Every structure is written in C-alpha cells, then in structure tokens.
Amino acid sequence: MKKVHLFLLWLLAGIVAAVSVYWLFPRAYPLFPRGWEVSKAEAEMIALERLSDLGELPRDPYILTNLDQNPVLEHRLLSSLGSKSPEEILASRIARGLMAWEIRVFEKGARASDWSFRAAIAPSGALTELRRRFPPDQAGGVIEAGSARKQADQFLAEQGFALSDFEEPETRSQQLQSRTDIVFRYRDREAFLGDRHPYGIEVTFAGDRLAGFSAYYDDPDEAEIQNEFQPVILFNQGWIFITLLLLPIVAVPFLQRYHAGEIGVRRGIQVAVAVVGCGVFMMLFCARAAAAGWSIAVLTRPQVTAVVVTELVLLFFFPMGLMAFLSWSVGESICRQRWGSKLAAFDALFQGEWTNATFAWAALRGAVGGLVLLAGTWSLVGVAQRFGAWTYSSFYLGHWWENSSWFSLPLLAFAAAYSLYSGLLGRLLIASVGVRLLGKWAGFATATLVCGILFFPTLIVFPLGWNLIFWFIGPAFLIMLFLRYGILTSILASMTVFVVRGAVPFIDSPDVSLQFQGCLVLFLLAIPLIVSCRYLLSDKKFLYRYEDVPPHVRRIADRERQKVELETARRIQTSILPDLPPELNGVRIAHAYLPATEVGGDFYDVLALEDGRLALAVGDV
C-alpha cells in the first residue's frame, strides 16, 4: 500500500508540473510567437517560390536556412509591456521582425559570404524580406527616381503589402564604382514605438535592377542595448572551452587511481562513446545550421560547413566524451565506497536491465523531477517580471537542432550528450568529492556554486544580476536529486528539462509537422518510463551478480576483504601474546614485537621458576 501511495504522489506531481509548464510558458516568454505556423521546410518552399520574382535562381543551389532573431527589438518591445499587453504587441506589424526563418541561396562554388538570394519568413508565414544580391563591383544601368518609385510601389503591392500602411517613402542613393544604388524607405504609419524608433520596409535598386525589399528598424540606443547582451554571448563562447580547461585537472586523479587499480575503463568507454555518438548524430542533422554564422576566407559554403563540423566534433563533443569518461571513472570509484546504491539504476541502463523497479523508479523520478524544475523556474520568472526582469524569446530558440528539418532527433541527441557530461562531471564527481571532503551541506553548496559556473544555463534573465539566482537553481535541484535518489534520476531530470523546453513551443502548433515533432521528441524521451512503468509496484529490483561487478571493484573488494581478514588475524595473534610484568624474580623485563606486515607468526613468553630462575620461550611459525 505504501508503494501505491508513493506512486500516486509522484504521478500527481508529474501531472501538475506538466500542466504548469504548458500554462507558464507563454507567461515566462510573453513575446514568443503564438501559433507557430511555418516549419523550416515550408519556409524554404515559400522563399524559393517568391524569390523567383527577382530573377532566375541558380541551378543546383546550396540553401542555408536558420532562425534569425532580433534581441534589440525584443528589448524595446518588452519595455512597452507596462502599457500594452503581449497580445497587442504580437499583433503589431513590427513584431514580425522578432523572429524569422532566414533562407539564403548560394550558387554552386560560391564563397561562404556570397549569397545570391535571401528571404525571411516570419513564424506566421508573413514575408519580411526578399532580396537579390548584386556584387558591389557589378555594373548597372541608370534609372530615374520616379520610374524606380513606381516599380517599388508595384512590387510591394504584388508582395501583399498595403501601401496605405506606409508613409511617403524617403529616397536614398549610394554611389558605387560602377553604378548608383537607390533605396526607398517606406516608414510604417503604425509607429508602435513612437517617433524615436522608426521602422518599415525598404526597397532597393542595384542600378536599374530591382534588388528586392527588407524590413528595417532604427533604434537610437542599439549600441547600448547590445552592450547588455555581450556578457551572455561571451559566456556562451567561453562555456565551449571550459571542458578543455578542466580535462587536465580531472585526468590527474584518474591516473592516480588507475595506477592503484581502483578504476576500470569499460563503463567509462561506453559512456564516452554514447556522448560522442550523440554529438556526431546531431551533426548529421545540424551541420549547415552549425556553420551558418561562419565565413572562412575563400572557402565555399560546403567547405566551411565541413571545417566547422569537424572542429565542433573534435573540440566540443570529443572533449565532452573524454570528460564524461574521466568523471565516471573517478566519480564511480568514490561513490562505490559510500553510495553504491546511487549507481544501481545507471548500471541497469547500460546493461539493458530495464524491467525492474530500480530502473522504473529512476525513470519516473527523473521525468517528474525535470518537469518540477522547469515549472518552478518559470514560476520564479513570473515573480521576477514584477520587478522589471525579463526572459527573452530571442535567446530561447536559435540552437542548431531548431534549424534542422527534423529538430526532434538532434534535440534529443544533444540533451542526452550534454546531460551525461554535465551529470557525471557536476553531480557524480564534483558533488561526491564536495560532500566527502566538506560534509553534506558545505559540499552541497560548493558543488552548486561550481556547477552553476561550469555549465551553461537553460534560462537567461535581464538585467543580468537576476541570473545569480536562476543559474544556480537548476544545479542545486539536480544535485539534490542525485544525493537523494541516484545519478540516473538526476541525468534524466536534466534531459527532461532540455527536451520539454524545446518541444513546448510546438506541441500545439497549427503546423502539423511541427506539432508531430514536438510530440515525437516527448515520446522518445518517455521511452525508458514507458518500457519499465509496469514494474513500479513490483518487488523486482536490480541486483548485482558477481559477473556484473566491474573487475576493478572486485579487486577493491578483495583488497578490503584481505585487509579485514589480516586485521582480524592480527588482533587474534596479538591477544595470544602475554602481557608481561616489568619485573620477575628480580630481573627487569622489556620486550618489543614488530611484525614485518599486518600479522606475524611469532610467540614469546617469560616464566618465573620456583628456584628463582627465569624460563624464556620464543616460538616461530
């Protein structure tokens, strides 16, 4: 009956947390686009069809699509939330510029920076940019401003814009070496942000050729706002190299314990292969997205992609795998001595023993724990918003997996790789060492502080001072799960946070493909729990067989057993030796017994005879 009550309690907590996550998301991120209607594949189809209005597209083109976001504009719109509701802001035309699919088309063999056509499609499906690139040194004819203006008006009308929404355009010209470019800036009458922040549409002519249109937004404080974002960008870049810096530090105790025979490598190698394998699998889906922001000298876009992906695998995922290997090896050798039960479910995972209560409860607690952590964090965001702190949708998306047509699979792969790495390093190693050296509470606090610095957060709040709270909530909760329930529970909770956070925006999308992928990744995440849930109320537990115990653990156990046996023998042998008085029959007696090892086979005694003599006995076995 107690198991039933416990199961119902965890189930209720999971349901409440899941509903809370769904309800809290639009409140934690008030300017996240509602009703995401266009997937990456659909955005590409729309863009390629519309770009043909500007000319013939290249044959066999290289197409690069990624999410483009505007944190400066979001910062400005968030500041207006006091006077306007999120629904009013998102319904405005300027809000289309918050986030969009950016599609760039390259000719075969073109350099990475030399795109030929570019389009931008908002999540709602609205077209916000349609451009054709003419090289600056390419000659062009001359067109009168009046004739160009008529073409610009007609072009915007064909693209679905109502000219009545815009003021009379401002004409600008730029003299290049071989031609004169003309730009017509149509300022939007909406003026959602006031006169100091003009925005609208600009149509460009390269000489006498129409080069398309794009949205513009002028913020007089743009440089100042971008300065606020710089620390976050620097931290994100720095977190990539933290693993490389930590490798030598963790390698030292590994080599010491490995030399002493206290560490095995079989399970660590399995963990490392899992981490690197997930990273490589992710790159199969996200190669182009990962290299989207890179441009290297004269290399073509495919060449840049190959270089960047190789660097990421070698400098990011491989060090993560190596660090996971070292962290498991050292952390496991420490944890086996005190908390062997905290490794049982993790061992069951890698041995494929999922049909037992040990694994089932770890899966349930991990899933519910992740949901509770996410719901609790977003609840605190609501509190912070009352004091002027905001989370930015611009930093919510934009990961490599979201720029993939099948974002569910690379999202799950990255969640598994990073959760294994951060869980084994942060909880199994750092928390175990901290608690062992400093005690329970001091070790817990120290491990939380270190993990909050080492691992990049899933939530960023501005002003940045608020992150001193939010960046340490997650590590503290995950360490607590590890200390209470075990390492697998903590790792699955971390995975749940990553996956649910990435899937929530799309599970009720009007676009069926996005909705399917959002539900698919949640289903894949739940497979461990689905497979093992029938054993939650059973008495079947994961038990170690002798052949399941790693060889190095057997060696340690044998060594400890031998030490106990030798200590017992030493105590028995010492108890047999007599406790001699300092003097017998007028003769002072002194003796010392120093065995070469833990126990010896010698015996001695001194006896007082009746005639006043002494009898000395010495024996050796």
Side-chain angles (χ1 to χ4, degrees), residues 111-113 294-300 303-305 307-308 311:
R111 292 187 302 176
S113 58
W294 293 77
S295 180
I296 305 175
V298 296
L299 297 186
T300 64
Q303 291 170 339
V304 169
T305 300
V307 170
V308 171
E311 289 181 351

Side-chain angles (χ1 to χ4, degrees), residues 80-103:
S80 66
L81 272 176
S83 57
K84 300 179 179 66
S85 68
E87 290 72 22
E88 289 179 284
I89 295 175
L90 292 172
S92 65
R93 286 190 292 272
I94 190 174
R96 297 174 183 174
L98 282 174
M99 196 176 299
W101 292 111
E102 183 187 62
I103 301 94

Side-chain angles (χ1 to χ4, degrees), residues 478-557:
L478 295 173
I479 291 172
M480 182 179 66
L481 286 179
F482 162 63
L483 296 176
R484 180 67 179 86
Y485 299 113
I487 188 60
L488 183 61
T489 297
S490 181
I491 289 174
L492 290 177
S494 176
M495 280 189 63
T496 301
V497 170
F498 268 103
V499 171
V500 173
R501 179 183 177 276
V504 163
F506 305 107
I507 56 177
D508 60 351
S509 169
D511 184 87
V512 177
S513 63
L514 290 174
Q515 188 179 111
F516 169 77
Q517 293 210 52
C519 295
L520 174 63
V521 70
L522 293 178
F523 170 76
L524 295 175
L525 174 70
I527 284 179
L529 180 57
I530 294 172
V531 171
S532 63
C533 64
R534 59 177 292 194
Y535 297 93
L536 282 166
L537 301 180
S538 73
D539 294 324
K540 184 180 179 181
K541 297 183 179 179
F542 176 76
L543 300 175
Y544 292 105
R545 297 166 296 181
Y546 182 76
E547 56 269 23
D548 294 333
V549 180
H552 71 281
V553 177
R554 298 181 204 167
R555 290 195 300 270
I556 295 173

Side-chain angles (χ1 to χ4, degrees), residues 6-157:
L6 189 61
F7 166 72
L8 293 176
L9 183 63
W10 278 93
L11 181 63
L12 178 62
I15 294 174
V16 172
V19 172
S20 299
V21 166
Y22 181 80
W23 183 80
L24 286 167
F25 170 70
R27 291 158 179 80
Y29 294 89
L31 297 189
F32 194 92
R34 306 285 194 269
W36 196 293
E37 298 182 4
V38 178
S39 66
K40 175 188 174 183
E42 292 169 334
E44 288 182 358
M45 292 176 57
I46 296 172
L48 294 177
E49 180 181 353
R50 302 294 288 274
L51 283 170
S52 60
D53 294 345
L54 297 176
E56 184 178 357
L57 297 177
R59 292 184 178 180
D60 192 20
Y62 184 94
I63 301 174
L64 181 61
T65 304
N66 63 291
L67 276 173
D68 184 40
Q69 297 161 96
N70 192 337
V72 174
L73 175 58
E74 185 171 14
H75 176 87
R76 188 61 64 191
L77 290 174
L78 283 172
S79 64
S80 66
L81 272 176
S83 57
K84 300 179 179 66
S85 68
E87 290 72 22
E88 289 179 284
I89 295 175
L90 292 172
S92 65
R93 286 190 292 272
I94 190 174
R96 297 174 183 174
L98 282 174
M99 196 176 299
W101 292 111
E102 183 187 62
I103 301 94
R104 284 179 283 173
V105 180
F106 296 82
E107 291 186 2
K108 189 174 182 179
R111 292 187 302 176
S113 58
D114 293 343
W115 52 270
S116 297
F117 292 83
R118 188 172 71 186
I121 311 292
S124 62
L127 189 67
T128 60
E129 181 176 4
L130 206 64
R131 288 288 306 275
R132 180 178 181 181
R133 179 180 176 274
F134 294 94
D137 57 352
Q138 183 175 342
V142 179
I143 187 173
E144 294 182 355
S147 177
R149 162 70 190 282
K150 291 180 180 179
Q151 287 189 42
D153 289 349
Q154 181 180 356
F155 177 68
L156 290 179

Side-chain angles (χ1 to χ4, degrees), residues 171-188:
T171 305
R172 299 182 179 182
S173 62
Q174 182 181 8
Q175 182 63 50
L176 302 180
Q177 183 177 356
S178 303
R179 69 171 189 264
T180 301
D181 288 354
I182 301 175
V183 177
F184 295 98
R185 301 195 105 197
Y186 293 77
R187 182 168 179 171
D188 201 312

Side-chain angles (χ1 to χ4, degrees), residues 213-433:
F213 78 91
S214 59
Y216 76 89
Y217 165 65
D218 294 335
D219 195 312
D221 305 317
E222 181 175 0
E224 180 181 342
I225 296 172
Q226 288 180 338
N227 288 337
E228 295 184 31
F229 301 141
Q230 283 183 355
V232 173
I233 297 172
L234 291 174
F235 283 147
N236 278 325
Q237 296 299 319
W239 274 310
I240 295 178
F241 300 102
I242 281 179
T243 307
L244 294 172
L245 297 176
L246 291 177
L247 278 173
I249 300 175
V250 182
V252 171
F254 168 81
L255 293 174
Q256 292 173 340
R257 289 174 177 265
Y258 183 78
H259 180 72
E262 299 177 0
I263 282 179
V265 297
R266 185 180 65 178
R267 180 57 48 74
I269 291 174
Q270 293 174 340
V271 169
V273 170
V275 172
V276 178
C278 286
V280 173
F281 179 80
M282 176 185 175
M283 286 292 98
L284 294 177
F285 291 86
C286 306
R288 295 191 180 190
W294 293 77
S295 180
I296 305 175
V298 296
L299 297 186
T300 64
R301 177 53 60 182
Q303 291 170 339
V304 169
T305 300
V307 170
V308 171
V309 168
T310 302
E311 289 181 351
L312 286 171
V313 171
L314 294 179
L315 299 179
F316 185 61
F317 289 109
F318 183 77
M320 275 176 54
L322 182 57
M323 178 61 78
F325 164 77
L326 296 174
S327 299
W328 164 261
S329 301
V330 179
E332 182 246 7
S333 68
I334 296 172
C335 206
R336 292 274 185 205
Q337 300 172 11
R338 304 180 61 184
W339 308 319
S341 62
K342 299 188 186 305
L343 304 177
F346 192 81
D347 287 335
L349 171 68
F350 275 86
Q351 292 182 25
E353 298 288 340
W354 293 19
T355 56
N356 56 78
T358 304
F359 182 85
W361 276 102
L364 176 63
R365 288 164 175 157
V368 174
L371 291 171
V372 169
L373 174 57
L374 195 56
T377 304
W378 285 354
S379 297
L380 289 176
V381 168
V383 176
Q385 288 174 351
R386 298 181 181 181
F387 296 92
W390 297 98
T391 50
Y392 283 60
S393 303
S394 302
F395 294 101
Y396 188 90
L397 296 182
H399 306 98
W400 298 332
W401 56 81
E402 289 145 357
N403 294 317
S404 168
S405 296
W406 278 84
F407 73 83
S408 56
L409 300 181
L411 167 58
L412 186 67
F414 181 82
Y418 196 80
S419 296
L420 275 171
Y421 155 72
S422 61
L424 297 179
L425 173 59
R427 273 89 81 188
L428 184 63
L429 179 58
I430 295 177
S432 295
V433 171

